Amino acid sequence: MDKAQKTDTADPFAFLKRPLRAAYMRCDRFLDYTFGSRDNPFYSLGGLGFFLYWIIAVSGIYVFAFFDTGLTEAYESVEAMTHIQWWLGGVMRSLHRYASDGLILVIGLHIMREFAFDRYRGTRWYSWVLGVPTVALAFAAGITGYWLVWDRLAQYVAETTAEILDRLPIFGSPIARNFLAPSYVDDRFFTLMLFIHIALPLVMLFIMWFHVNRVNRPRINPPRNLAIASLVLLIALSLVYPALSQGPAELSRVPSPVSLDWYYLWSYPLVDLWGPGGVWLVYFLGSFALMIMPWLPPLKRSAPAVVDLDNCNGCTRCAVDCPYGAIRMAVRTDGKPFEREAVVNPAQCVSCGICTGACPTATPFRRAAALVPGIDLGGLPLVMVRERTHKAAAGLAGAARVVVFGCDHGGAIAALNSTSVGGVSLPCTGMLPPSMIDYVLSRRLAEGVVITGCRDGECRFRLGPQWTEERIEGKRDPQLRARVPRERILRVWAGPAEMARLAREIASFQQRLATAGNAAAAPAPAEAGQTVVAE
Amino acid sequence: MKPLRHAAQAAFVLITLGLIGYFSASPPYARVPPESALIKLSFAHAAAKKGGCRELSAEELERLAPNMRRKTICSRERLPVDIEVLLDGAPLYAERLPPTGLSGDGPSRVYERFVVPAGSHSLVLRLRDSERAAGFDYETTHAVTLAAGESLAIDFFQGGFRFE
Ligand code: HEM
Ligand code: SF4
Ligand code: SF4
């Protein structure tokens, strides 16, 4: 049952991941409490990245409109924006800077989070690997941005960038010569920098699009409140603490000390420590290490989902719900009178089982021999889930017997087992067909059903908790039948660190069941399951 | 519970904005110590060709295509440039700069920075770009007074050192 534990010991980074995950979960609890789980910024780090990108784009276009290229013009135009038109130009300039800094912060948190929750190996190498160039592009775009202002910081950036680039054996004359003394600089440099500064973010956007390309319904927009709050707060910061230049560049003077933007320029002081060669080593080793992370070690994954055409009616629900778009609806091939059939791309499947939970033919009411849903997990077919449910319920006693359905990545469900509680762990709670709840209650396997698993933002896969909720609430197909007494179902989303709370909630649920149980009549035994397709 | 929640919100917002605002321009970084100045030495200078030039014999000329017939040929490869800098009589930099280019036919290039204490200094610059065994082809003495934070550029072109 403890598959999560087993994969953990095989992972040499577990010693890093486990405490990092615990730290994230602690932050999540704090932010859930503070802002509510819907607006928890840690659940929308990727979406915040996109949102900040748009703020940068809009403020950048505004600033560009008032920017002049040229040795003195550049500095003067930025100064005019900052001081004369402070109420809009200055705010836009500050927004441009602070949103860019925020982007680095958010990307950093996003990378560490995907790492901590192990969402980067297996199929998900694709998103991870495509994420790496976006980081490099973000840094490069930020650095060229600081160059454009042509203040003392820009001079420092220009000189140091030139020294770093000159380490590569591809440039003829040292680029650093261009900044030797006042008579050496050229206006054309600004045009080139401006071009690069605009081109890099466009390439970045292009890659960002590919980055979420294999994710079904990527959350590229943060929740409304979170987005509005982020924008308002960044504007407030811009007004209170506007971004300023540091005096015009003077090539006859040393730009030292300078106020650095450490988000973008953290590597520049390293030039003085390790030389340009050392900095290149940091860049190369850093990107290389990030790039190969998804295969350190490769994820040992269980068998992917398989379609059984005899049971598939082409309803598309699995394809809609699959968090990774691993299912495609293709033209029917077996002559059955349906238009389409589900086709799984095993290379994109993460074996979460969410598709089984979505399939209308995945109902445990069917006879043992016939229990093959339209789509099933190779490693844990639905028959086995039903068997485990029976086993979990078998030994239970008392007036408030409870079956708990949980997931391998939340708290260890087995730890909850007692004389009146039996647990069944699934790869993801989203794998549970709602009819299984109906089955447990109507067959009187137990008096109550507990649905638990990771919180939505902490799902090891994606969308599992959300789909489960919507199915039980009747907002999403397949819906839990209306006849199922809702007071006999308890939903608790709790991470591994919240096992005590889960146990408490189950105990009080059992108390309610026991008091209600004596009075209420048990639900009528079922005749058949839900929509069952031609058998 | 509400005031506590608002306090938590305020704390989170302040910390996040503080983090963004602070590291966007602090702490400052000093590349050179406060009471110092900078000397930058940089030039791109092509030394003489290695082995000089020679006349082609009549047979050799005969073998070449008519449009390629030139009387003298020179080796493409250049000599290295030797450079020496003395600051207040003490050696600051001495290097043999190889020619650039795939066949060694490009100019020798250099870009070096030296952090020196602010104040008056005497500089001696020597450069050799020929095949001579001893001595230098160019030598200059230059007296400068550098204020703290000042940057002096030394270039070499058109047969002489240039200070800016
Ligand atoms: C411009 C920077 C980035 C933006 C805007 C961004 C945005 C996003 C978004 C919106 C998602 C979908 C999240 C969801 O809906 O569940 C996502 C997923 C992901 N991101 Fe990023 N990302 C960025 C950079 C990176 C980087 C640098 C990495 C790692 C090196 C990374 C790793 C991942 C991974 C592994 C996923 C897949 C998560 C999953 O499969 O569940 N991202 N990103
Ligand atoms: S197991 Fe998960 S990833 Fe694979 S096809 Fe089903 S829903 Fe998609
Ligand atoms: S949900 Fe089931 S029936 Fe519907 S298309 Fe997918 S496999 Fe077929």
Side-chain angles (χ1 to χ4, degrees), chain B residues 3-147:
Chain B
L4 191 61
R5 198 164 165 238
H6 287 315
Q9 287 174 342
F12 179 79
V13 164
L14 285 180
I15 289 173
T16 310
L17 293 188
L19 217 60
I20 292 178
Y22 180 75
F23 288 108
S24 75
S26 337
Y29 176 69
R31 202 175 182 197
V32 299
E35 283 309 308
S36 6
L38 190 68
I39 296 176
K40 289 193 270 189
L41 168 74
S42 177
F43 57 77
H45 175 63
K49 301 235 161 126
K50 207 175 194 169
C53 304
R54 71 179 173 90
E55 302 262 312
L56 286 182
S57 65
E59 297 103 84
E60 279 176 316
L61 276 175
E62 220 22 60
R63 266 186 267 127
L64 290 172
N67 61 336
M68 300 288 281
R69 280 175 198 159
R70 239 189 282 140
K71 265 220 178 113
T72 51
I73 57 156
C74 306
S75 81
R76 296 191 63 195
E77 203 180 331
R78 289 186 185 278
L79 293 164
V81 169
D82 289 327
I83 171 86
E84 269 186 35
V85 184
L86 287 100
L87 179 75
D88 304 324
L92 183 66
Y93 181 69
E95 198 62 58
R96 166 157 293 190
L97 307 166
T100 52
L102 285 180
S103 38
D105 56 343
S108 299
R109 295 179 169 129
V110 66
Y111 174 86
E112 286 291 334
R113 331 161 62 244
F114 309 101
V115 178
V116 300
S120 299
H121 297 286
S122 87
L123 280 163
V124 177
L125 292 126
R126 299 177 180 140
L127 185 143
R128 176 169 44 230
D129 61 356
S130 67
E131 233 156 338
R132 66 194 293 164
F136 289 87
D137 299 292
Y138 305 91
E139 178 159 350
T140 307
T141 309
H142 186 73
V144 276
T145 303
L146 295 172

Side-chain angles (χ1 to χ4, degrees), chain A residues 30-36 41-42 97-99 101-102 105 146 155-156 159-160 163 166 171-174 176-177 179-184 233-234 236-237 241 246 251-263 268-273, chain B residues 1-13 16-34 36-38 40-44 100 109-113 147-157 162 164:
Chain A
F30 170 76
L31 293 170
D32 280 347
Y33 162 76
T34 310
F35 299 105
F42 273 35
R97 177 185 293 187
Y98 294 139
D101 291 334
L105 190 66
Y146 275 110
Q155 184 188 342
Y156 168 74
E159 290 174 1
T160 314
E163 287 169 30
D166 282 337
F171 299 102
S173 183
R177 271 182 68 71
F179 310 105
L180 205 56
S183 64
Y184 287 71
L233 290 170
L234 284 175
L237 178 63
Y241 188 62
Q246 301 182 31
L251 291 173
S252 58
R253 297 198 55 81
V254 191
S256 171
V258 278
S259 296
L260 281 200
D261 182 326
W262 291 87
Y263 291 101
Y268 277 41
L270 297 180
V271 173
D272 298 326
L273 223 51
Chain B
M1 277 324 244
K2 224 160 179 204
L4 191 61
R5 198 164 165 238
H6 287 315
Q9 287 174 342
F12 179 79
V13 164
T16 310
L17 293 188
L19 217 60
I20 292 178
Y22 180 75
F23 288 108
S24 75
S26 337
Y29 176 69
R31 202 175 182 197
V32 299
S36 6
L38 190 68
K40 289 193 270 189
L41 168 74
S42 177
F43 57 77
T100 52
R109 295 179 169 129
V110 66
Y111 174 86
E112 286 291 334
R113 331 161 62 244
E150 201 172 325
S151 169
L152 172 73
I154 306 173
D155 200 346
F156 181 88
F157 61 78
R162 215 179 81 160
E164 184 170 330

Side-chain angles (χ1 to χ4, degrees), chain A residues 46-47 49-50 103 107 110-111 114 119-120 124 127-128 131-132 134-135 204 208 211-212 215 217-220 290 324 461-462:
Chain A
F50 270 90
L103 180 64
I107 295 180
H110 174 59
I111 298 180
E114 301 307 320
R119 292 196 277 227
Y120 64 101
R124 291 139 109 173
S127 293
W128 181 272
V132 179
T134 65
V135 184
M204 180 174 161
M208 275 157 63
H211 174 68
V212 292
V215 172
R217 299 165 198 254
R219 293 171 202 191
I220 58 171
L290 268 181
Y324 291 99
F461 306 104
R462 299 174 61 255

